[in-house]
Amino acid sequence: QVRIVESGGGLVHPGGSLTLSCAASGLSFSRYVMGWYRQAPGKQRDLVARISAGGTTTYADSVKGRFTISRDNAKNTVSLEMNNVKPEDTAVYYCKADWLNVYWGQGTQVTVSS
């Protein structure tokens, strides 16, 4: 059984930092493209960042230079380091595993507010 579990969300002040983690089990993790997506109320779910099996990263323009995605294939985890966060980063953040099949986590709420 595949499980994708996000953690690390919460309330953070503008300009602050937060790191999200995603733990995957039940799949050949190293073969999967892992991604972080976010969905704000009333909006579609959009890509934030993704990392290929080989370690190539892609970022949304809105987070370039502020967010960093990384993966640890030994631990089956992918992280999203968020720096200099802004109110517009407020959303539910989802982890996605994509290869032969697509799997999503349940999401973790990130709220950026003073």
Side-chain angles (χ1 to χ4, degrees):
Q1 181 181 359
V2 176
R3 292 193 68 205
I4 308 291
V5 180
E6 302 96 337
S7 62
L11 174 65
V12 59
H13 295 310
S17 298
L18 198 66
T19 297
L20 306 182
S21 296
C22 170
S25 60
L27 72 170
S28 298
F29 181 83
S30 64
R31 297 173 181 256
Y32 279 75
V33 176
M34 299 301 299
W36 285 98
Y37 291 71
R38 66 187 181 188
Q39 187 168 20
K43 296 188 176 181
Q44 66 181 19
R45 189 175 299 186
D46 291 326
L47 172 71
V48 175
R50 64 172 172 249
I51 184 166
S52 72
T56 301
T57 56
T58 303
Y59 294 93
D61 287 342
S62 60
V63 307
K64 282 181 181 177
R66 300 188 297 122
F67 292 8
T68 302
I69 188 171
S70 60
R71 67 188 299 159
D72 185 335
N73 290 338
K75 296 182 179 179
N76 287 10
T77 59
V78 59
S79 298
L80 183 71
E81 181 181 350
M82 306 166 61
N83 295 311
N84 189 24
V85 297
K86 303 176 181 180
E88 51 263 43
D89 295 322
T90 295
V92 178
Y93 283 70
Y94 296 91
C95 181
K96 176 186 175 184
D98 188 352
W99 184 44
L100 297 179
N101 295 293
V102 175
Y103 302 101
W104 290 93
Q106 293 299 305
T108 186
Q109 175 71 46
V110 173
T111 302
V112 183
S113 176
S114 55

